[in-house]
Amino acid sequence: MKRIFLILLTISLFFLLSCVTTQSFKQKETVETSADTKPVSVQEAPAPSDDASESAQESPAPAPQTDVSAEQAPVPVQKASVPEKNTEVSVQISPAPVKSDEEYLRSVNDIEVTKETFAEDKTEIMEIISKLAVIMADGDYDGWVKYIDEDTVKYWSNPQNLRKASKMLPVRGLYMNNLRDYFTYVFVPSRKGREVDEIRYISKNNVKAVEVSENSDIIYYYFKKIDGVWFVHIPPL
């Protein structure tokens, strides 16, 4: 009986021990599994509200700042007042300077002309010559005719006189047909760029405009006074 009892006791202890071992092994496996699979808590940032996004879009970007020193600071500019233009412009022509009494004596040549009249006549004639220089440079025929006296216009508009003058031209085969041709081929080439120094009286109403040279005077213009106005006169052939 004791042997049977011991056998049963041994079996019972063995069975009890195996149960305890199995239960402890399950608990250990559970603990390791829970440790490995422990969830990690992640905190998500709250999404921005609609009001905040709208305010961020509506607020303008700050403008770039420019540092302006005292030297770079803009200085207000005051506009100068411009005087109104007058519709009528009066041009005062100063008398041409008379170099000496010798010029006066050379110019009048025993013609009864006072120094004052001589200075006035020379001033007017030199003014016309200056205007003619511009007219010749521009080839302005219509402007040129205004300074030519009527006798000259009539004579040099005659075809016969123009044919005679054409034979004297340095270019052979060139024939002038009208007064414009005379202006283009004779008057301008013989006077353009020339310098007039003094005048010489032929009479009180007839004057030569000359360039002074050592031995003789070079005549470039003849002027004729008609009703107190000086006109260019071109002598006939």
Side-chain angles (χ1 to χ4, degrees):
M1 280 298 289
K2 289 183 180 181
R3 184 176 294 181
I4 295 172
F5 177 76
L6 288 174
I7 292 171
L8 292 175
L9 180 62
T10 300
I11 293 171
S12 300
L13 289 175
F14 178 77
F15 180 77
L16 180 62
L17 181 59
S18 62
C19 290
V20 172
T21 302
T22 302
Q23 185 176 2
S24 61
F25 177 77
K26 290 182 179 181
Q27 290 179 354
K28 183 178 180 180
E29 185 178 1
T30 303
V31 171
E32 290 178 356
T33 304
S34 62
D36 295 336
T37 59
K38 183 177 181 180
V40 179
S41 61
V42 179
Q43 296 182 359
E44 297 180 356
S49 61
D50 295 338
D51 295 337
S53 61
E54 291 179 358
S55 61
Q57 294 177 356
E58 293 178 357
S59 59
Q65 297 179 354
T66 303
D67 296 333
V68 181
S69 62
E71 295 179 356
Q72 296 176 348
V75 179
V77 179
Q78 296 181 356
K79 294 183 179 179
S81 58
V82 180
E84 297 181 358
K85 295 183 179 179
N86 297 326
T87 55
E88 298 181 359
V89 179
S90 60
V91 179
Q92 296 181 356
I93 303 174
S94 58
V98 179
K99 297 180 180 179
S100 64
D101 290 340
E102 294 181 358
E103 179 186 349
Y104 167 70
L105 296 175
R106 286 196 304 268
S107 299
V108 297
N109 193 22
D110 297 333
I111 304 296
E112 294 182 0
V113 177
T114 63
K115 290 184 177 180
E116 291 76 12
T117 302
F118 163 69
E120 292 176 359
D121 290 342
K122 184 181 179 182
T123 299
E124 294 177 7
I125 290 171
M126 296 299 289
E127 181 69 19
I128 295 173
I129 293 174
S130 298
K131 293 178 180 179
L132 288 174
V134 177
I135 289 173
M136 289 187 291
D138 296 338
D140 184 8
Y141 167 77
D142 295 331
W144 172 73
V145 173
K146 296 177 182 179
Y147 293 96
I148 309 300
D149 69 317
E150 293 183 2
D151 293 340
T152 298
V153 173
K154 290 179 181 179
Y155 181 88
W156 290 104
S157 297
N158 189 323
Q160 295 181 356
N161 298 330
L162 291 172
R163 279 196 296 269
K164 293 179 181 179
S166 297
K167 297 178 181 180
M168 302 177 184
L169 294 175
V171 180
R172 294 182 179 180
L174 180 62
Y175 295 95
M176 295 180 292
N177 299 315
N178 48 49
L179 186 60
R180 183 186 291 272
D181 290 341
Y182 182 88
F183 167 74
T184 303
Y185 300 116
V186 178
F187 188 90
V188 174
S190 61
R191 294 168 178 83
K192 186 177 180 180
R194 304 299 192 271
E195 183 177 356
V196 174
D197 301 315
E198 298 180 5
I199 62 175
R200 299 287 186 264
Y201 281 89
I202 302 172
S203 66
K204 290 184 177 180
N205 296 324
N206 291 273
V207 171
K208 296 181 291 185
V210 302
E211 178 182 359
V212 179
S213 62
E214 294 181 358
N215 300 323
S216 62
D217 297 335
I218 303 174
I219 303 172
Y220 288 122
Y221 298 93
Y222 287 90
F223 284 90
K224 185 176 182 179
K225 182 182 284 188
I226 302 174
D227 296 333
V229 180
W230 289 102
F231 290 90
V232 175
H233 175 73
I234 301 174
L237 295 174

